Amino acid sequence: MTATTTPVCTSASTAVYPSFSSYVRARGPVLQRTARSLTSNPCDAEDLLQTALTKTYLAWERIEDHRALDGYVRRALVNTRTSQWRKRKVEEFPYDELPEREAAPSADPAEQQALRDAMWRAVLRLPVRQRAMVVLRYYEDLTEVQTAELLGVSVGTVKSAVSRALGKLREDPELACAA
């Protein structure tokens, strides 16, 4: 997916520093990628880059080594992003008492294993074709289309066979006792 971005600093042709304008035109895409790596979305990245370039523009006369501009702008990007992160408002609601945690009953591993074994035995009792479709759909996590292609049948066949198989599994007496 490629995102289209607007040119950075579009009014740079009227800038007091022509060297700044040429720098932004030449290095804008690279700096945009750097900004994008610091944020969670492209819009925030554009805002971050604009802010960093504004800071760079204001300090243009003080920057002695213009060969190190990328480092200067990257540092401005990181510092600006850090400042934004620190200013982020975190809402806290203090309480006098902590709420009680509801202890979720932990399932017995032996019971879980017994249920898995019962389920697998019930799946093995299904007809071969239904068993293959259930295994592909639910154990291998394939889609209906992928299952149909793999078995060389139509998607409708997969849907109806899986539906019938699930019905048989719901009615299986061993699973009814295990649940």
Side-chain angles (χ1 to χ4, degrees):
M1 181 176 132
T2 59
T4 59
T5 59
T6 57
V8 179
C9 199
T10 54
S11 62
S13 60
T14 61
V16 175
Y17 306 112
S19 57
F20 177 79
S21 301
S22 61
Y23 171 74
V24 170
R25 276 193 298 278
R27 302 298 294 162
V30 173
L31 297 172
Q32 181 68 35
R33 283 192 299 272
T34 303
R36 180 64 178 100
S37 69
L38 294 171
T39 61
S40 59
N41 69 50
C43 295
D44 288 344
E46 288 179 13
D47 291 344
L48 177 63
L49 181 57
Q50 287 293 333
T51 304
L53 286 175
T54 301
K55 291 178 180 182
T56 304
Y57 180 79
L58 294 174
W60 194 254
E61 290 180 331
R62 294 189 313 261
I63 300 173
E64 295 175 10
D65 186 8
H66 282 220
R67 292 175 298 185
L69 282 172
D70 281 355
Y72 185 92
V73 176
R74 282 191 188 102
R75 177 50 49 197
L77 285 167
V78 170
N79 290 347
T80 302
R81 183 66 182 138
T82 302
S83 295
Q84 291 171 346
W85 177 78
R86 285 182 180 154
K87 290 178 186 175
R88 186 179 57 180
K89 184 177 180 181
V90 177
E91 294 187 20
E92 293 181 8
F93 303 103
Y95 289 96
D96 292 334
E97 295 179 27
L98 292 175
E100 294 283 330
R101 283 193 177 180
E102 292 182 25
S106 59
D108 182 18
E111 289 178 10
Q112 288 179 334
Q113 187 60 46
L115 181 59
R116 277 191 221 99
D117 291 344
M119 175 59 85
W120 191 244
R121 283 190 301 273
V123 168
L124 290 175
R125 284 191 292 273
L126 291 172
V128 175
R129 188 170 167 168
Q130 286 180 359
R131 181 174 51 227
M133 291 182 191
V134 167
V135 167
L136 290 172
R137 284 286 290 129
Y138 298 106
Y139 284 91
E140 296 296 324
D141 202 26
L142 297 180
T143 65
E144 291 170 340
V145 173
Q146 291 170 327
T147 303
E149 288 175 0
L150 192 63
L151 296 176
V153 297
S154 71
V155 175
T157 302
V158 171
K159 288 180 180 182
S160 62
V162 167
S163 176
R164 283 192 302 276
L166 292 177
K168 288 180 183 179
L169 291 174
R170 281 187 203 100
E171 295 170 1
D172 190 282
E174 188 180 356
L175 290 178
C177 294

